[in-house]
């Protein structure tokens, strides 16, 4: 019995012994994979900084940096004082070493001298403010933005180019705000032409045109006429009686009434503010009422005829290059219609 037990234990130990023999090799491989792969940077200049994947920073003192990076793709950035930075990508492969040789380009620098006029101009560069005379050394080559300000003068924001190894000279002259206002005033004082299409309504629709010349003050001409202009064969009184020599008679009329009118006027324009103006004018006009008999004869009613002096007034609303108008016009102070206009100012 004892021999059987000893034999069983011997066979069992012999069966499991290969498993224990492979354990150190597996651990060694795993450790090697976790430690990563060897990456070597050779950099000129000798003192630089290397950033891996935007997180890990390493300082280089003798121009050589050796790292163990995990397998896969990595981003790196190399920078040094007085040199342009360099960015790139590398791929770490198992059991292979990666060597990267980089020579950084120098960051060329220059100087700039600025002079601003008149005196006491404030120069702003970045977050710093300086006087009217400014000297800056050691600026990177390229474009640099400056702002020049002084109370009572127009601010100047501009960009100057700094060339490497050169002292660059620039000057700026600020313009007084008063001169700008005078130019603006001169521009606003020039004559503008007003062109408005007109439409009026009371008993009938009239159409016309209004033309004017204006600055702050101006003048205009306007003409309107009705769409219908019936020609009468006879004339009658307000009661409809037609007088033919010594004969008087009352024909039968249709219920339809025809109208005819025209008005010509001229007047004064005045801009009260930037968007609003007014106009007043006078002229001559006529408004005719025509009845039609059942036979088709047209008869002008003399008692309802309105003709004589025209008086009008209204407002003009200016919207940049466009204009709107609204007003009233009276013929002989007995026939009045409301009028609207739409047009342009140029």
């Amino acid at each position: 019995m004892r021999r059987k037990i000893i034999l069983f234990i011997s066979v069992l130990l012999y069966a499991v012994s290969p498993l224990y023999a492979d354990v150190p090799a597996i651990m060694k491989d795993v450790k090697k994979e976790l430690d990563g792969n060897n990456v070597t940077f050779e950099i000129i200049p000798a003192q630089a900084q290397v950033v891996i994947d935007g997180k890990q920073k390493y300082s280089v003192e003798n121009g050589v940096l050796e790292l163990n990076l995990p397998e896969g793709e990595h981003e790196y950035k190399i920078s040094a004082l007085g040199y342009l930075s360099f960015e790139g990508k590398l791929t770490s492969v198992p059991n292979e070493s990666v060597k990267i040789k980089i020579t950084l380009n120098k960051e060329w620098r220059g100087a700039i001298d600025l002079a601003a006029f008149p005196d006491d101009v404030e120069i702003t560069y970045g977050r710093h403010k300086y006087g009217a005379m400014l000297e800056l050394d050691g600026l990177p080559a390229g474009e640099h933005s400056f702002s020049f300000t002084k109370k009572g003068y127009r601010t100047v924001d501009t960009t100057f180019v700094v060339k490497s190894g050169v002292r660059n000279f620039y000057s700026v002259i600020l313009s007084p705000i008063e001169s700008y206002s005078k130019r603006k005033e001169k521009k606003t004082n020039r004559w503008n032409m007003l062109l408005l299409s007109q439409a009026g309504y009371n008993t009938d629709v009239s159409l016309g045109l209004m033309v004017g010349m204006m600055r702050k003050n101006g003048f205009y001409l306007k003409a309107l006429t009705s769409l219908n202009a019936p020609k009468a064969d006879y004339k009658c009184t307000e009661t409809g009686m037609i007088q033919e020599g010594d004969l008087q008679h009352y024909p039968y009329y249709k219920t339809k009434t025809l109208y005819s009118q025209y008005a010509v006027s001229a007047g004064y324009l005045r801009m009260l503010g930037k968007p609003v103006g007014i106009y007043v004018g006078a002229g001559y006009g006529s408004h005719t009422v025509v009845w039609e008999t059942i036979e088709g004869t047209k008869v002008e009613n003399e008692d309802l005829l309105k003709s004589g002096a025209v008086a009008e007034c209204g407002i003009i609303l200016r919207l940049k290059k466009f204009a709107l108008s609204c007003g009233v016009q009276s013929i002989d102070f007995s026939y009045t219609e409301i009028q609207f206009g739409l047009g342009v100012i140029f």
Side-chain angles (χ1 to χ4, degrees):
M1 183 66 179
R2 178 181 295 178
R3 289 182 179 180
K4 291 182 179 181
I5 293 173
I6 294 173
L7 180 61
F8 175 76
I9 293 173
S10 299
V11 172
L12 180 62
L13 291 174
Y14 178 78
V16 300
S17 60
L19 296 176
Y20 287 99
D22 289 341
V23 169
I26 294 174
M27 293 298 294
K28 185 177 181 180
D29 291 340
V30 171
K31 183 177 181 181
K32 182 178 180 181
E33 184 176 352
L34 292 176
D35 286 344
N37 300 276
N38 188 31
V39 177
T40 302
F41 289 92
E42 294 183 1
I43 303 170
I44 299 176
Q47 294 184 340
Q49 184 184 68
V50 178
V51 179
I52 303 297
D53 296 328
K55 299 178 181 179
Q56 299 171 315
K57 297 182 180 180
Y58 303 92
S59 296
V60 182
E61 298 296 337
N62 57 359
V64 178
L65 176 65
E66 294 183 348
L67 299 174
N68 288 325
L69 298 179
E71 178 184 351
E73 189 176 80
H74 301 274
E75 296 180 352
Y76 64 89
K77 180 179 180 180
I78 303 174
S79 58
L81 184 63
Y83 292 82
L84 297 175
S85 300
F86 180 84
E87 297 182 8
K89 294 182 179 181
L90 62 87
T91 301
S92 179
V93 181
N95 301 321
E96 291 185 10
S97 61
V98 179
K99 182 178 289 187
I100 298 174
K101 295 182 179 181
I102 296 293
T103 300
L104 298 180
N105 295 321
K106 285 189 175 182
E107 183 181 20
W108 297 105
R109 294 179 176 268
I112 189 171
D113 291 348
L114 297 178
F117 303 94
D119 296 334
D120 302 327
V121 173
E122 184 178 74
I123 303 176
T124 302
Y125 174 63
R127 297 182 179 180
H128 302 283
K129 298 182 183 297
Y130 305 91
M133 306 296 292
L134 175 62
E135 296 181 1
L136 293 176
D137 297 313
L139 294 178
E143 294 184 346
H144 296 264
S145 298
F146 295 86
S147 180
F148 301 81
T149 57
K150 182 178 180 178
K151 187 176 181 180
Y153 290 79
R154 298 181 65 188
T155 298
V156 174
D157 296 315
T158 187
T159 300
F160 295 120
V161 176
V162 175
K163 298 179 180 179
S164 61
V166 177
R167 179 166 290 276
N168 304 266
F169 296 90
Y170 297 99
S171 62
V172 174
I173 301 176
L174 272 62
S175 301
I177 294 178
E178 290 78 10
S179 62
Y180 173 74
S181 300
K182 290 180 181 178
R183 290 196 301 269
K184 186 176 180 181
E185 182 180 356
K186 183 177 180 181
K187 183 178 179 180
T188 56
N189 283 337
R190 70 180 180 88
W191 285 97
N192 294 304
M193 187 172 185
L194 172 68
L195 189 62
L196 288 173
S197 59
Q198 295 282 303
Y201 181 77
N202 185 331
T203 55
D204 196 14
V205 176
S206 60
L207 298 176
L209 188 66
M210 180 177 183
V211 180
M213 296 296 294
M214 57 186 297
R215 292 189 295 191
K216 189 172 184 180
N217 299 290
F219 61 91
Y220 72 92
L221 298 173
K222 185 168 70 170
L224 287 94
T225 184
S226 60
L227 298 177
N228 299 317
K231 185 177 180 180
D233 301 312
Y234 299 97
K235 295 183 179 181
C236 70
T237 63
E238 187 175 2
T239 60
M241 182 191 71
I242 298 177
Q243 181 77 37
E244 291 184 290
D246 296 333
L247 298 178
Q248 298 178 349
H249 62 95
Y250 293 86
Y252 291 99
Y253 293 99
K254 296 180 180 179
T255 57
K256 183 178 180 180
T257 302
L258 304 176
Y259 302 95
S260 174
Q261 78 174 65
Y262 69 89
V264 179
S265 59
Y268 169 71
L269 288 168
R270 168 77 177 186
M271 294 304 297
L272 301 179
K274 188 173 182 180
V276 180
I278 61 171
Y279 69 90
V280 292
Y284 181 83
S286 175
H287 178 76
T288 304
V289 178
V290 176
W291 291 344
E292 187 176 357
T293 66
I294 58 176
E295 291 85 6
T297 303
K298 293 181 175 58
V299 181
E300 178 184 327
N301 193 314
E302 292 184 301
D303 293 336
L304 298 181
L305 173 65
K306 310 297 181 184
S307 63
V310 167
E312 63 185 4
C313 64
I315 61 172
I316 295 176
L317 180 63
R318 181 174 183 175
L319 303 172
K320 294 185 178 180
K321 293 185 178 181
F322 297 95
L324 302 172
S325 69
C326 178
V328 292
Q329 183 184 78
S330 177
I331 299 177
D332 196 31
F333 298 100
S334 56
Y335 175 80
T336 303
E337 70 175 14
I338 185 170
Q339 297 175 346
F340 299 94
L342 174 64
V344 294
I345 298 177
F346 55 92

